[in-house]
Amino acid sequence: MRYIIIGAGAVGGAVGGRLAGAGREVVLVARGAQYEALRTHGLRLVTPDGTHVHRLPAVDGPAALGTLREDDVLVLAVKTQDSVAALDAWGPAPVEGGGTAAERLPLVCAQNGVESQRIALRRFSRVYGVCVWLPATFVEPGVVSAAGAPLTGVLHLGRYPSGTDDTARRIAADLEESRFEAPVVADVTRWQYAKLLDNLANAVEAVSGVIDGDEGRALYRRVRAEGEAVLTAAGLPYAGGDEQRAVRGDKVRLRPPDGVARGGGSSWQSLSRGTGTIEADYLNGEICLLGRLHGVPTPLNDLLRRLANTFARERRAAGSLPVAELARLADEAVAFVQEPGAARP
């Protein structure tokens, strides 16, 4: 199979680079400075076991490839806010033998949250979800760091909305030969919702910095508890902490490569790069949506969603809001819900 990595940033670059390192055929899809760097200099993947330079085909859209192959696998690794544009571009792409990518090819959503696969299923007939546990950083155009060792990441994989098939097993086999663990599961959304609860911290980290103190950890516990209450009300199961730790064990330990500082997660990176957008609508915003559907107030997640979007839109510095100030705003947000007439934060 040939893997077309749509969005060769942190996650896409790490997955594509590792697949290429294991001898798999890979095409990288990127835009702007990242596309130019990949096309000119190749992908430089910096890992605990060394730096690997992969000279791979790089394109900025499906037209550059012409007719797609019957054995192509599309791996969607853009941020969720960019999914519609990517799917609109790649869905109509022609495939050898007739039909389009949306009709015939598997689409693998290797992204945070759960929304992209819903969007994809409106267009593509064969959609696969991935629970991505992969510590990776976009360092600069053409350079990606993956800090996990001895494995680069754990990628639970399954059909969306449920089930497994031979394609999922073949993809998983390729991933497992590429320094990943890739369990094939029939209930991939159960793992994705568990990861979503972890990702509720992304907005805290993005606006107030890495969570490394008691005040930040206490705030995240409150945000997560709100998320857990919503998932329970919605009847959505998720893998528990003990189950996740049993699967991961010591397989993916953080070992930032020499010379590459480990910054924050994906949302922090979006602010640091000044992209102007952020994924909070599909992380904290997923909890807000489910809360409204099932009658559960979500003031903390809504506050974080709004703050993260404001920071992205105004290109404020990542981590520039003191955590004490964020905690104060959180208290006000809860009071606004609990006390009619309270001032909105």
Side-chain angles (χ1 to χ4, degrees):
M1 295 188 291
R2 180 175 69 169
Y3 292 90
I4 300 176
I5 310 294
I6 304 170
V11 168
V15 171
R18 284 307 201 190
L19 283 168
R24 301 309 186 267
E25 192 174 0
V26 174
V27 176
L28 302 177
V29 183
R31 300 176 299 176
Q34 178 73 341
Y35 164 65
E36 294 296 337
L38 294 172
R39 187 171 64 90
T40 305
H41 304 292
L43 170 68
R44 186 152 64 98
L45 180 60
V46 185
T47 71
D49 58 274
T51 297
H52 312 271
V53 178
H54 301 285
R55 297 276 184 173
L56 303 171
V59 301
D60 59 359
L65 290 176
T67 301
L68 300 182
R69 294 175 5 191
E70 292 179 295
D71 64 347
D72 281 337
V73 175
L74 305 183
V75 180
L76 188 65
V78 299
K79 297 288 177 58
T80 301
Q81 62 267 28
D82 298 319
S83 290
V84 169
L87 294 167
D88 284 348
W90 286 88
V95 179
E96 61 187 9
T100 66
E103 292 168 331
R104 297 188 56 200
L105 298 183
L107 177 82
V108 179
C109 295
Q111 301 161 285
N112 284 334
V114 297
E115 183 61 23
S116 266
Q117 53 209 18
R118 293 179 186 146
I119 298 171
L121 203 59
R122 292 181 172 92
R123 296 163 170 82
F124 281 74
S125 61
R126 297 167 62 196
V127 176
Y128 299 78
V130 180
C131 176
V132 179
W133 201 78
L134 166 55
T137 302
F138 179 95
V139 179
E140 62 183 60
V143 183
V144 170
S145 168
L151 296 181
T152 300
V154 176
L155 307 173
H156 286 78
L157 170 69
R159 282 292 294 260
Y160 179 77
S162 63
T164 64
D165 61 16
D166 286 342
T167 298
R169 286 184 281 272
R170 290 177 64 197
I171 295 169
D174 283 348
L175 290 169
E176 294 206 333
E177 292 185 17
S178 308
R179 292 182 179 260
F180 293 100
E181 181 157 306
V184 177
V185 294
D187 55 350
V188 68
T189 56
R190 194 171 71 89
W191 292 91
Q192 290 174 318
Y193 277 115
K195 175 75 183 312
L196 175 68
L197 292 173
D198 292 341
N199 285 147
L200 299 181
N202 286 24
V204 178
E205 180 182 69
V207 302
S208 292
V210 176
I211 301 173
D212 57 5
D214 291 343
E215 196 164 21
R217 285 191 285 267
L219 176 58
Y220 167 61
R221 285 194 295 270
R222 295 169 63 193
V223 173
R224 182 186 176 96
E226 196 175 86
E228 291 175 344
V230 164
L231 294 185
T232 298
L236 292 168
Y238 55 91
D242 290 343
E243 185 179 6
Q244 294 181 71
R245 285 186 290 272
V247 170
R248 293 173 186 161
D250 291 329
K251 298 167 188 172
V252 185
R253 297 190 299 271
L254 283 180
R255 287 177 48 197
D258 293 340
V260 179
R262 169 67 178 162
S266 54
S267 297
W268 185 93
Q269 291 179 48
S270 292
L271 291 185
S272 295
R273 293 169 57 196
T275 62
T277 65
I278 200 165
E279 60 194 337
D281 279 347
Y282 305 102
L283 300 178
N284 306 88
E286 177 70 18
I287 296 302
C288 297
L289 170 63
L290 291 171
R292 289 162 185 155
L293 288 172
H294 297 280
V296 180
T298 58
L300 298 178
N301 280 281
D302 195 44
L303 170 69
L304 288 168
R305 184 195 61 79
R306 289 187 285 110
L307 280 174
N309 277 295
T310 298
F311 269 56
R313 184 173 58 253
E314 298 179 358
R315 289 177 166 78
R316 297 188 195 177
S320 58
L321 181 69
V323 68
E325 175 64 10
L326 179 58
R328 184 188 67 78
L329 291 173
D331 289 340
E332 290 184 358
V334 172
F336 178 78
V337 171
Q338 295 177 342
E339 302 173 19
R344 187 177 183 83

